[in-house]
Each structure stands twice: as structure tokens, then as C-alpha cells.
Amino acid sequence: MFLRRFRDDIRTIDNSKMQLVDESRMKNYMDAVKAERKNLADNVSQEEILELMGITAEGVPTLAGLMTFSKYPQTYFPQLCITAVALPGTEMGTVGDGGERQAETHFAGKTKEFKTEICENIAIDKSVNSHKKMGGLEHL
């Protein structure tokens, strides 16, 4: 889909509402954007900034906007989660030396919550070396 230039992150979500946005998180984001981009801060309204940054499209929240700023994104996507799998070896279906089997953990919530919970889970589960397999999460 990427090669055909489909951008699911900026598609609008039917029946979504800006009223379900975490206001303090949105304020922090807007303050950061305005601090980084003085010209934008001086010449563009908040509604226009939200459009330019892909948070809304024609005043309706986008997928990216909901995932980042909604108080509870599962309102619109009840099955939305990240499933992390820890393997006792290097292949699916293998059993560890102590009889361990693969472990699955499901994470739900906002994007920032995903990152926090996943990183905490990886730190706890160092016994299967999963922290090396999921590098780069600090950029979420």
C-alpha cells in the first residue's frame, strides 16, 4: 500500500469526535509544535495546524490523531492492540531447555501507553532475550 501512496494514518474515522481528545496531551503537542516552528505559530490557527500535521482532516480526527490523542482509541477500534510474543528459542514452536513455551502479551491503549507497557514488559522478560528483538521502540 505504501508504494501506491495510501496513507491510512491520515484517513478520517467516521463518527469520531474531538471531544474525546486528551486536552493536556494535545496542549503539550501544540506547544511543542509552536516552539519548533515559529512561522507556523505566528501565522496559522490551531485548527489549521491540526490539519497540516495530519491530526484532523476537514475537522474530523484521523487515525493518527485518534491513536495519539484520544482518551480511549478502542472506542473506535475495539480489537486494537499490539501482541508481543516471547520465544524460548529462535523459532516459533520450539520448547526451551526448561520446557518453556512461547508467551504472548497483549497491549491496548494509546500509542504512548503501548510504548510504556511494551518496554516495561521487555525489561521484565529479559530471560528470553526479547529486548534485543524489539529494538527501536524508543522512537514510538
Side-chain angles (χ1 to χ4, degrees), residues 26-59:
M26 178 64 75
K27 182 186 178 321
N28 291 341
Y29 174 77
M30 292 301 290
D31 290 347
V33 167
K34 289 177 180 180
E36 281 183 20
R37 299 176 173 105
K38 182 79 172 129
N39 186 39
L40 193 68
D42 292 342
N43 299 301
V44 181
S45 71
Q46 178 167 326
E47 290 75 25
E48 291 171 317
I49 292 173
L50 293 175
E51 297 274 330
L52 291 169
M53 297 298 162
I55 305 302
T56 64
E58 298 178 15

Side-chain angles (χ1 to χ4, degrees), residues 30-103:
M30 292 301 290
D31 290 347
V33 167
K34 289 177 180 180
E36 281 183 20
R37 299 176 173 105
K38 182 79 172 129
N39 186 39
L40 193 68
D42 292 342
N43 299 301
V44 181
S45 71
Q46 178 167 326
E47 290 75 25
E48 291 171 317
I49 292 173
L50 293 175
E51 297 274 330
L52 291 169
M53 297 298 162
I55 305 302
T56 64
E58 298 178 15
V60 178
T62 62
L63 176 61
L66 285 177
M67 287 303 302
T68 306
F69 297 107
S70 177
K71 293 176 185 174
Y72 188 66
Q74 283 75 14
T75 300
Y76 306 102
F77 303 98
Q79 300 298 315
L80 181 70
C81 72
I82 292 177
T83 302
V85 178
L87 303 175
T90 58
E91 295 180 23
M92 294 288 285
T94 58
V95 177
D97 294 337
E100 311 90 356
R101 300 192 178 276
Q102 79 181 38

